[in-house]
Amino acid sequence: MQKEQVIIVGAGPSGLAMAACLNHHSIPYIILEREDCIASLWKKYAYDRLHLHLDKQFCVLPHMPFPDSYPRFVSRQQFVSYLDDYVSRFKISPLYRRTVESAEFDGETGKWIVKARNLGSGEVEELEGRFLVVASGETSDPFTPVIEGLNTFPGDVLHSTRFRNGKAFQNQKVLVVGSGNSGMEIAFDLANHGAQTSLVVRSPVHILSRDMIYLGLILVKYIRVNLVDSLMVMLSKLVYGDLSKYGIYRPKEGPFFMKAAYGKYPITDIGTCKKIKSQEIRVLPSICSIRGNEVVFENGTTHPFDTIVFCTGFKRSTNVWLKGDDYLLNDDGISKLSFPNHWKGKNGLYCVGLSRRGLYGAASDALNIADDINSLQ
């Protein structure tokens, strides 16, 4: 059995931030990663045109700034390069291709026992640590909803994690399901490459520009959220007008309130709204069913498609392998506790980047956890 002071599960940005902060305190750790690289979502499962949606000052990891040459909104390639440099600087060496099968606290020894399968050898390895940090991420397991008749669709069906760019879809009829930032941006990319693009928008959404979101993030530090939200909605109406005629409605609750209360981010518009208004992108309501290549929508209309891209987010599998925790994480692997004490559980259990607060939240979690572990040495 391998013994370490801290066991970290996950080598995405959250896990790397955690490792760097422990390194800063000279606290020994081991980091387990089920993929064959760090930050696999960014390296292997992200579309080409992806950029960080927030200004780089809100996305930097602890103890290492972005290079001065980086633009305000960092590209996927630049962020991957930054993470590679981060790993080199802090000498982070994850154990790759390790899938955690169980993690359980041993009350007699006061240690966490983690069993991980080595996907290379097939063997189950056992590790022991005083502290366990769940850093497996909010975007760990791609989710595709169950839709009646989906199995009858003859065309390509893919999750956003398999979409790279719109080049291969020129002149195809493509349906994008999901109106979060990924769905909006993938629809934009498809339209740019000549696809006949439709976008399913099921729920009301706030649409803001990058500069609006930046202004809001600054203001929310100094004035009440409801006042910031009122300003954001007013600016959105001035810039984008009434989008209800195109099938997009604003929520009754404000964008920053919704982010804090539900972890639901506003849409960062990078040109999608213009294409919706010009009808290069058609907005459609929820799907009722699929009959072959025909998709039936809740408004009674039916449209044929060649490809469906699901931008329907992710689930987490922490509840499958984490045993005996009824305090820190809910069934969907998100912290049940309220900010700012959401990162600390019981018996040396912590979570980093599981509070729907983005990279900024993950960086803050890692700093707090490392300080807390250091105080217990």
Side-chain angles (χ1 to χ4, degrees):
M1 181 186 294
Q2 188 170 344
K3 298 182 179 181
E4 292 291 346
Q5 187 74 340
V6 184
I7 300 171
I8 305 169
V9 180
S14 295
L16 299 180
M18 189 69 255
C21 290
L22 292 172
N23 181 296
H24 189 71
H25 287 290
S26 300
I27 298 171
Y29 66 87
I30 194 167
I31 182 167
L32 305 174
E33 169 55 48
R34 69 181 181 182
E35 295 280 350
D36 59 2
C37 63
I38 64 160
S40 61
L41 183 70
W42 288 89
K43 286 193 170 188
K44 297 165 62 175
Y45 304 118
Y47 49 93
D48 293 342
R49 65 165 295 114
L50 177 64
H51 286 65
L52 295 177
H53 292 118
L54 300 181
D55 191 288
K56 65 181 180 181
Q57 75 180 78
F58 300 109
C59 302
V60 68
L61 298 187
H63 307 302
M64 184 174 138
F66 284 116
D68 291 339
S69 60
Y70 275 25
R72 282 181 62 196
F73 298 98
V74 177
S75 72
R76 168 182 172 247
Q77 293 82 0
Q78 288 169 325
F79 190 56
V80 166
S81 178
Y82 168 77
L83 293 176
D84 284 336
D85 291 343
Y86 197 83
V87 165
S88 297
R89 177 167 177 175
F90 296 107
K91 298 179 174 60
I92 302 170
S93 300
L95 293 181
Y96 293 115
R97 304 194 68 206
R98 287 347 191 253
T99 298
V100 175
E101 296 191 345
S102 69
E104 192 166 7
F105 183 73
D106 185 336
E108 291 187 6
T109 63
K111 301 291 179 65
W112 284 90
I113 307 300
V114 176
K115 294 180 181 179
R117 186 170 297 277
N118 184 325
L119 298 180
S121 67
E123 296 179 356
V124 174
E125 301 166 346
E126 194 165 299
L127 302 95
E128 179 184 276
R130 183 181 172 191
F131 304 100
L132 175 65
V133 182
V134 180
S136 44
E138 295 177 356
T139 53
S140 55
D141 301 310
F143 171 72
T144 300
V146 176
I147 298 175
E148 180 187 344
L150 179 59
N151 62 333
T152 70
F153 185 75
D156 290 331
V157 177
L158 59 153
H159 190 269
S160 60
T161 51
R162 292 175 50 212
F163 180 90
R164 295 295 168 265
N165 58 63
K167 290 178 183 177
F169 302 95
Q170 185 175 8
N171 297 322
Q172 286 193 26
K173 295 177 180 177
V174 184
L175 177 64
V176 179
V177 182
S179 56
N181 277 305
S182 293
M184 288 284 191
E185 198 160 349
I186 285 174
F188 176 78
D189 192 61
L190 285 163
N192 275 345
H193 284 93
Q196 298 175 49
T197 308
S198 298
L199 174 67
V200 170
V201 180
R202 296 185 306 152
S203 307
V205 293
H206 285 291
I207 299 178
L208 306 175
S209 70
R210 285 170 164 174
D211 287 333
M212 288 179 204
I213 292 175
Y214 177 80
L215 175 62
L217 288 170
I218 297 299
L219 290 177
V220 81
K221 296 179 181 179
Y222 305 104
I223 60 178
R224 295 199 310 273
V225 169
N226 65 317
L227 296 177
V228 176
D229 278 343
S230 295
L231 176 61
M232 293 299 105
V233 171
M234 181 187 72
L235 290 173
S236 181
K237 287 179 178 178
L238 286 172
V239 172
Y240 300 111
D242 180 11
L243 296 174
S244 62
K245 67 182 77 173
Y246 304 102
I248 297 176
Y249 300 87
R250 288 187 180 88
K252 293 180 180 178
E253 296 169 312
F256 283 88
F257 171 82
M258 292 180 69
K259 178 179 176 294
Y262 316 123
K264 187 175 177 63
Y265 286 82
I267 302 303
T268 304
D269 181 55
I270 44 84
T272 308
C273 274
K274 185 177 180 180
K275 289 190 177 294
I276 289 172
K277 288 180 176 181
S278 68
Q279 299 184 339
E280 292 176 75
I281 296 174
R282 174 177 54 183
V283 174
L284 293 168
S286 296
I287 297 173
C288 285
S289 62
I290 297 174
R291 303 168 186 167
N293 72 332
E294 297 280 342
V295 180
V296 182
F297 297 89
E298 69 172 9
N299 63 355
T301 61
T302 301
H303 303 283
F305 294 98
D306 301 305
T307 298
I308 302 176
V309 183
F310 282 98
C311 301
T312 42
F314 299 82
K315 296 291 185 180
R316 289 139 292 277
S317 55
T318 319
N319 63 316
V320 174
W321 55 263
L322 182 61
K323 311 297 183 182
D325 170 51
D326 57 1
Y327 177 76
L328 181 59
L329 301 177
N330 64 21
D331 289 342
D332 193 28
I334 299 296
S335 178
K336 291 193 283 190
L337 306 182
S338 300
F339 175 85
N341 300 311
H342 56 276
W343 46 269
K344 185 174 182 177
K346 297 178 179 179
N347 299 320
L349 176 65
Y350 300 91
C351 68
V352 55
L354 291 172
S355 62
R356 300 194 187 279
R357 296 176 60 241
L359 290 168
Y360 181 83
S364 175
D365 293 348
L367 288 164
N368 286 327
I369 293 168
D371 287 344
D372 194 63
I373 291 176
N374 189 54
S375 72
L376 298 172
Q377 298 294 302

